[in-house]
Amino acid sequence: MTQIKETLQTLEPLFQWFHRHPELALSEFETTKKIKQVLTKHAIELLPNPLDTGVFAKIGGKHDGPLIALRADIDALPINEESGLPYSSEYPNRMHACGHDFHLTNLLATAIELKKIEDELNGTVLLIFQPAEEVDHGADKVVQTGILEGVEAIFGLHVNTELRAGVVGIKEGNLNAAVDRFFVSFTGKGGHAAHPEDANDVIVATGQLIGAAQSIVSRNISPFEPGVVSITHIEAGKTWNVLPSTSLLEGTVRSYAPSVRGQIKARLQEVTRGIAATNGISGAFKWVDGAPAVVNDRRLTKLVASVAKEQNFDVVPLNPSMGGEDFSSYQQVIPGTFFNVGVSSDYPVHNSKFKADPKAFETSVPLFIALVKAYFERGLSDGETLLS
Ligand SMILES: [Zn+2]
Ligand SMILES: [Zn+2]
């Protein structure tokens, strides 16, 4: 523990460096360079990474044992920082407002500590510093590199502003919803606002679609299954006396069950087609798959809970959220669990005044280390193995 405290002290300037230098998704070049520098300085083996940003590294493997992965995301957000921190972002409109600087520093500290006991580890730890969590499907890109081959389980964490430092939040099963995006456009014959009988009114059609889309969750989906349809962007027309010929709508769908996800997509498509037909116009529908739902493995979640309790951290249950998290992409391939550590912020993540309490490293780093050791030493908490 004393040793960890020393590492934490040396890591505080590093955390501050990452906080000062936030980089947006797929542009995390300086961040990547810095992570590599720190790992190399501690003689931690870097693995080849075909992506432009992000880092893969490895510790252990001296003895036979399982291969497990720890993941941290590294990208920032296009937000102008107003936290008042002495180590605020040096760039306008860029901020580590989701705590990914905390996540990556936590993983670096964990790596440094694990390296010190590498010879004793009964297994191998893969470190994944993942680019582009906020947008651009970073986790998918990492999975596509094939780096998860042979990995038995994956762990990741996120800062939680509603919990104080020292508290660990866990949840088995559903934690974060699937996040999808859709677009609808209507095209008809524009015309004079005074003569609607000679034109098609795509604005009326757009209004009908907004109403009809809101009946999908209430009328087509079981009340026992969560789902959200939000329309967030509308464009049509430029002035007061012209009926425009096109309109555009954009929005997001959130769900857990893959069947609900498919049902909402299909209904939105049918409603678009139906409204276009009713109005004598053409309608186009486009759906963009985002991250699937985060569904935490029961056995791994129990392991996190028991290890956290052994370390005398408070463990609380988390509520599921309709917000997304692309950790789910790993869980499509291997079992994993995603948990939270409290960072006591008065402002939520994605807010310009968000700040993570660095004291939370005193929880997250020992927890990650203990988790790795527990997995290697005794398997899963209830004696089951993942492969059973
Ligand atoms: Zn975020
Ligand atoms: Zn985040």
Side-chain angles (χ1 to χ4, degrees):
M1 192 67 189
T2 331
Q3 258 193 348
I4 289 177
K5 279 215 161 121
E6 277 165 28
T7 302
L8 293 180
Q9 275 162 12
T10 61
L11 277 163
E12 199 139 329
L14 203 57
F15 172 56
Q16 296 182 2
W17 188 93
F18 286 118
H19 194 82
R20 277 182 209 275
H21 300 94
E23 294 176 295
L24 303 185
L26 302 181
S27 304
E28 308 96 335
F29 296 105
E30 291 301 312
T31 309
T32 296
K33 205 167 128 190
K34 190 83 172 173
I35 293 168
K36 283 184 181 168
Q37 267 174 13
V38 176
L39 293 172
T40 309
K41 188 177 152 200
H42 290 88
I44 294 166
E45 184 187 346
L46 300 179
L47 299 175
N49 173 15
L51 305 175
D52 290 338
T53 55
V55 182
F56 306 148
K58 193 178 91 170
I59 296 170
K62 313 257 170 187
H63 309 281
D64 281 347
L67 170 61
I68 63 170
L70 304 176
R71 172 272 205 173
D73 42 14
I74 66 170
D75 56 325
L77 286 158
I79 291 176
N80 211 30
E81 180 157 0
E82 295 176 310
S83 69
L85 283 169
Y87 52 93
S88 285
S89 171
E90 290 181 4
Y91 310 125
N93 297 316
R94 274 199 246 160
M95 176 185 176
H96 267 299
C98 203
H100 298 184
D101 51 344
F102 182 97
H103 305 163
L104 77 91
T105 308
N106 173 63
L107 190 53
L108 280 173
T110 303
I112 293 167
E113 289 302 314
L114 286 175
K115 184 70 188 174
K116 292 179 189 164
I117 52 165
E118 186 171 33
D119 291 345
E120 302 153 31
L121 292 178
N122 288 319
T124 308
V125 185
L126 170 69
L127 309 165
I128 298 175
F129 295 87
Q130 177 211 306
E133 190 282 325
E134 298 287 357
V135 290
D136 293 326
H137 313 276
D140 265 350
K141 290 181 165 63
V142 169
V143 170
Q144 282 159 18
T145 66
I147 193 77
L148 291 186
E149 206 184 312
V151 179
E152 198 174 279
I154 185 162
F155 297 92
L157 63 74
H158 206 288
V159 297
N160 185 319
T161 57
E162 286 169 13
L163 304 177
R164 64 176 168 76
V167 179
V168 179
I170 58 152
K171 179 164 188 322
E172 73 173 62
N174 291 349
L175 180 62
N176 290 93
V179 177
D180 300 308
R181 185 174 175 181
F182 68 92
F183 300 84
V184 172
S185 63
F186 289 123
T187 308
K189 184 182 162 197
H192 199 296
H195 304 293
E197 72 278 18
D198 295 331
N200 303 125
D201 193 338
V202 294
I203 289 186
V204 166
T206 303
Q208 290 167 349
L209 187 116
I210 295 166
Q214 288 315 319
S215 70
I216 295 174
V217 170
S218 69
R219 303 293 85 185
N220 302 133
I221 303 299
S222 160
F224 298 101
E225 294 284 1
V228 173
V229 176
S230 287
I231 292 168
T232 54
H233 176 197
I234 301 174
E235 277 178 40
K238 289 202 163 52
T239 187
W240 65 283
N241 58 358
V242 176
L243 291 170
S245 58
T246 59
S247 70
L248 171 84
L249 262 119
E250 183 183 355
T252 182
V253 171
R254 308 295 168 107
S255 60
Y256 276 100
S259 59
V260 169
R261 197 180 185 189
Q263 214 178 343
I264 297 177
K265 179 182 174 183
R267 284 298 293 143
L268 275 171
Q269 200 159 13
E270 285 162 8
V271 165
T272 303
R273 217 180 288 138
I275 288 172
T278 306
N279 289 277
I281 56 178
S282 64
F285 178 78
K286 189 179 151 200
W287 175 274
V288 181
D289 272 337
V294 171
V295 183
N296 285 331
D297 183 88
R298 184 178 59 83
R299 297 153 299 177
L300 296 176
T301 309
K302 278 172 77 176
L303 184 69
V304 174
S306 56
V307 169
K309 281 177 196 156
E310 284 158 23
Q311 300 276 310
N312 292 320
F313 300 132
D314 287 340
V315 178
V316 298
L318 293 173
N319 292 320
S321 157
M322 295 313 277
E325 161 61 57
D326 79 355
F327 185 79
S328 55
S329 295
Y330 304 105
Q331 293 175 319
Q332 299 290 301
V333 188
I334 51 169
T337 194
F338 193 66
F339 55 96
N340 283 183
V341 290
V343 290
S344 327
S345 172
D346 292 335
Y347 295 90
V349 290
H350 291 218
N351 182 293
S352 60
K353 292 183 177 166
F354 161 81
K355 41 185 165 187
D357 182 355
K359 206 173 156 42
F361 286 123
E362 291 173 28
T363 306
S364 61
V365 178
L367 178 58
F368 250 20
I369 294 164
L371 202 48
V372 169
K373 287 199 217 164
Y375 192 98
F376 289 158
E377 279 161 21
R378 58 176 195 243
L380 296 160
S381 53
D382 52 9
E384 292 178 74
T385 69
L386 270 178
L387 301 173
S388 67

